[in-house]
Amino acid sequence: MLVKVFGAALQGVDATIITIEVNSTRGCMFYLVGLPDSAVKESHRRIISALQVNGYKIPTSSLTINMAPADIRKEGAAYDLPLAIGILASNETISSDKFSRYLIMGELSLDGTIQPIKGALPIAIKAREEGYEGMIIPQQNAREAAVVNNLKVYGVTNITEVIEFFNDQRELEETVVNTREEFYTQQNIFEFDFSEVKGQENVKRALEVAAAGGHNLIMIGSPGSGKSMMAKRLPSILPPLSLGESLETTKIHSVAGKLSRNTSLISKRPFRDPHHTISPVALVGGGNYPQPGEISLAHNGVLFLDELAEFNRTVLEVLRQPLEDRNITISRVKWTVDYPASFMLVASMNPCPCGYYNHPMKDCVCSPGQVQKYLNRISGPLLDRIDIQVEIVPVPFEKISEKRQGEPSAVIRERVVTARKIQEERFNHYPGIYCNAQMTSKLLHQFAQPDENGLKLLKNAMERLTLSARAYDRILKVARTIADLDGSSEIKTSHLGEAIGYRNLDRENWAG
């Protein structure tokens, strides 16, 4: 008897429907075709054990199983459940009347328990697009998939539940999630707040500007000056995720297997802070089994690189293209995958090997050559792509000992959200442009053109600091954001002056 069961394969952050065809004929052989990997081939032993433990007989006939389309590689143990259901249906142990209405995925333990899978959300989205009535997946993934409306999602814990459901001996409980309620209640809960930061008003202002315009930022200062502390508080002042952004972000984390169990939607912007020993593949994605890298996991959020100069230079250079294009294409001989990578890069570093160059109280023991060599670990082209470069000095005792709290994140966030709304209206007719940091040269000429006094100031800064054309564009983008925070439709000289002040690493006194 020939039966068809439906599953899905992940390709990048999207899913493709896989038809599992099981044909039972006379004989005693087992064939599994359709480009399965080792984990899929090993499913035969897991299925036999799971069925035997739960009191079901294994068909003694010859089985041929095809996973179509045959040119897509099938990876992982998530096909265990649909394969097992197809095998039983081919022997008429299960009625196959309802198979065409449901998509089935799940990994089997030897006792028939169903283990969680990766990518439940993109699979659910694909199931709805293809017109399936429902989806049967592990209980741990049910809330994640139930975010998709107009699709019945059933979470199961054992293969027996699925068998009895198809034989009309049991009703499965549908998982229902109030997406909007859960999403909005979690949006304003943060572990860290800017009210805990003492002093550093200029750096907090720079972070506010960066958040308002989506600009990349680097903080450079001595150890213990608060670089990491402030970076961790940046998500608390970023604009809230929209439902569309949340869905897109959740898809990426779902494919990577980074979602917490029983999670529905990611409600806060991601904050990723990989260690400086990370490899290029781990940062941008790829591998033998394609996975999103850290830059994609930071999509719609923040990628924080602490101790930037300690990262391998090759790792840092791969950031240059994603910072401009806001997506990453991983190309190999057998496959090509696109991952979104629209993130804010926030970096921090010491100014020299000993960490005390330009320190107001401690003497630096490094020679000018050592300082220059240390800073040269960050290439000029990469620094050019960082809009805001701000120097941090240690907080004096008087500020640290103050009992008065600083400005809370909620107040700063209101100003940021107001500035972002101005940008949304400005770029309403420009697809793919959502904030000032994403402006093209054409849009710069249209929305960020300074007056004559501003042009003179810019000319002097360009000549004195020997800035590149890209740095010129960055200054205009930052000045446009500062003007938005100020509620000004025009870029004034004061706005340009502040933006030029955020090019600290271009100053002559750096590195002697």
Side-chain angles (χ1 to χ4, degrees), residues 308-321:
L308 186 67
E310 302 301 327
F311 281 77
N312 187 296
R313 179 138 183 169
T314 307
V315 172
L316 295 181
E317 293 308 299
V318 300
L319 284 172
R320 286 160 57 176
Q321 180 261 334

Side-chain angles (χ1 to χ4, degrees), residues 282-312:
L283 188 67
V284 301
N288 293 330
Y289 301 98
Q291 291 288 304
E294 287 291 335
I295 63 173
S296 294
L297 293 171
H299 181 61
N300 290 324
V302 177
L303 177 68
F304 177 50
L305 302 183
D306 199 7
E307 302 298 343
L308 186 67
E310 302 301 327
F311 281 77
N312 187 296

Side-chain angles (χ1 to χ4, degrees), residues 329-350:
T329 302
I330 312 295
S331 298
R332 299 293 183 267
V333 174
K334 295 183 179 179
W335 47 263
T336 299
V337 179
D338 286 315
Y339 291 121
S342 180
F343 59 92
M344 270 183 67
L345 174 64
V346 178
S348 71
M349 63 180 288
N350 293 331

Side-chain angles (χ1 to χ4, degrees), residues 47-59 88 93-94 158-165 167 169:
I47 291 169
I48 289 174
S49 174
L51 294 180
Q52 286 177 340
V53 169
N54 287 279
Y56 294 95
K57 292 183 179 180
I58 305 300
L88 288 177
T93 304
I94 298 180
N158 193 284
I159 190 173
T160 306
E161 299 173 31
V162 185
I163 294 170
E164 292 176 353
F165 171 73
N167 283 334
Q169 298 170 345

